[in-house]
Amino acid sequence: MTTKTKLVKRIFSSLLTAALAVPMTALTAHATGEAFFYPPKNPVMTDQQFEVSVTFSADSEIGSVQANIAYDDSVIEFVSSDNASGGGGVLTVNGFPDTPSSEVDFSFTFKGLSAGNANISLQSCQIYSPDSELIGSPTAYCVITVGGDKVETKTETETTTTTEKTTTTTTKTAPSNGIPDKGVLTALTVDNGELSPAFAYNVYNYTVNVDNSVTNVEIEGTTASPSDYIWYTGTSECQVGENVRTITVTDVDGNAATYTVTIIRAAGGDEQQTQTVQKKDGSDTSSAVSKNANVMDQYKKMLNTALAIVLIVLVIALVVIIIWIRGKIKGGKKDK
C-alpha cells in the first residue's frame, strides 16, 4: 500500500469519525436551567425586614450560579445575603451548592422603605455545570408590595379588670352590587390573549391561550380598595406550553385572595395547545405535553444541524476519494 493511499484512508477515517461524533454531541447538549422567586406571602411595612429567596434548578448537576438581581431601591433596601453583594438597585450573585445537587437556593434580606410596589428581577443569569459548561440562562421576577406604616392593633382595656380586649374585624362587607369593598380584584387584564372564563371577582382560576409568536404577557389587577395590598409571582416572559402567574390581594385585616392565570403559549405556530393531562385534583394542565413538545423542537433543530454537517463531511470525503481515484488512474497510465 503506497504512502498516498494510506494518507487518503487516514483522512477519510478522520472525517467519518468526526461526522459520527457531531450528532451524538448535538443530541446530548440539551441541559436546561430554571429560576423561581419566593417573596413574602403578605405585604410588608416600611422599616420591616423581609426575606426573598431564589431557587435555581437544572436537569443536571449545578456547579455555580452567576447573576444580577435588579430591584426598586426607592421602595425597598438591600440589607444582606451570603451569596450577593451590591446595592443601589443592583445585586451581584455568585454562589454554588454546598453539596452536589441539581438545585440551589439563595436568600436575600431587604427592608421596606416607602409605600409602593417594588419589582425584583433576575438578569444576566448563567447556571454552570461543575465542568464550567453553560447549562442555562433563565429569567424570573416578582413584585413586593410595601404598604406604608406598620398598622397597630386596636386594644381596649376595661377599667375594672386587668384583661385586655382586642377588637378586630374579619368580615368583608359587600355593597349593593354584590362585590366586596376590599380584599378582592375588581378587574384583571392581560395585554395578549383573553381570559377564560371571563373575569369575575369570585372566580380565581383563568386560562389564556396565545400564539407561538407571543413571548411576553403582562398582567394587571385592580383591587377593590386603595388600602388593599397586591403582589404578583411568575415571569412575564412566556415559554412554549404552560406559564403560571398568581395575583394575591390582601386587605388591611390580613384576609387574602389569590387569583391564578395559566398562560398557554402554542408550539410551532399552532394557535393553541389542545392536548391536556388530567391532574389528580381534577383540573387540566398541558405542562407535560408542552414540555415534550419543547424538547422535541430542540431535538429537531439539533438533528437538522447535525445532519447538515454530516452531509457536508461526506461530500468532502467523496471529493477526496474521486481525486484519489483519478490520481491512481493517471499514475497507472504513466506506468504503462
Side-chain angles (χ1 to χ4, degrees), residues 31-45:
T32 59
E34 295 180 319
F36 299 94
F37 274 104
Y38 294 94
K41 293 183 178 180
N42 297 308
V44 299
M45 304 300 172

Side-chain angles (χ1 to χ4, degrees), residues 107-316:
S107 296
F108 311 91
T109 301
F110 292 90
K111 182 176 73 172
L113 290 181
S114 60
N117 292 327
N119 199 329
I120 302 179
S121 60
L122 184 66
Q123 302 176 351
S124 304
C125 177
Q126 290 90 35
I127 301 177
Y128 292 99
S129 70
D131 297 328
S132 299
E133 294 182 358
L134 182 63
I135 295 177
S137 300
T139 60
Y141 87 101
C142 68
V143 178
I144 304 296
T145 299
V146 180
D149 297 331
K150 185 173 289 187
V151 179
E152 298 293 338
T153 303
K154 181 180 178 182
T155 60
E156 297 178 0
T157 305
E158 297 182 4
T159 56
T160 56
T161 66
T162 58
T163 303
E164 288 187 344
K165 182 173 66 177
T166 301
T167 302
T168 60
T169 303
T170 58
T171 304
K172 295 180 182 179
T173 59
S176 57
N177 61 4
I179 301 176
D181 60 2
K182 60 181 179 180
V184 297
L185 291 180
T186 57
L188 181 61
T189 59
V190 292
D191 64 350
N192 280 296
E194 294 183 358
L195 292 174
S196 178
F199 174 77
Y201 80 91
N202 56 352
V203 176
Y204 300 101
N205 293 284
Y206 299 91
T207 300
V208 177
N209 290 293
V210 296
D211 294 343
N212 178 260
S213 59
V214 177
T215 60
N216 191 287
V217 176
E218 296 288 347
I219 296 177
E220 183 176 358
T222 303
T223 60
S225 170
S227 63
D228 289 336
Y229 310 134
I230 184 172
W231 57 274
Y232 305 77
T233 64
T235 174
S236 61
E237 294 187 5
C238 294
Q239 304 297 322
V240 172
E242 188 178 84
N243 302 265
V244 179
R245 304 277 301 279
T246 64
I247 307 94
T248 301
V249 184
T250 306
D251 63 22
V252 293
D253 299 319
N255 302 309
T258 299
Y259 299 80
T260 300
V261 179
T262 302
I263 303 166
I264 302 176
R265 179 184 169 194
D270 294 336
E271 287 297 318
Q272 62 184 20
Q273 294 284 5
T274 57
Q275 292 178 287
T276 57
V277 179
Q278 193 73 14
K279 287 183 178 178
K280 291 182 179 180
D281 59 3
S283 62
D284 289 335
T285 175
S286 61
S287 60
V289 174
S290 62
K291 287 181 180 178
N292 289 337
N294 194 20
V295 171
M296 289 302 297
D297 287 341
Q298 293 178 358
Y299 275 123
K300 287 179 181 178
K301 291 179 180 178
M302 290 186 291
L303 188 57
N304 288 337
T305 302
L307 291 176
I309 295 173
V310 171
L311 182 60
I312 292 171
V313 171
L314 291 178
V315 169
I316 294 173

Side-chain angles (χ1 to χ4, degrees), residues 54-72:
V54 184
T55 297
F56 298 92
S57 62
D59 55 7
S60 60
E61 185 179 335
I62 295 176
S64 64
V65 175
Q66 299 175 10
N68 291 329
I69 290 181
Y71 64 94
D72 188 348

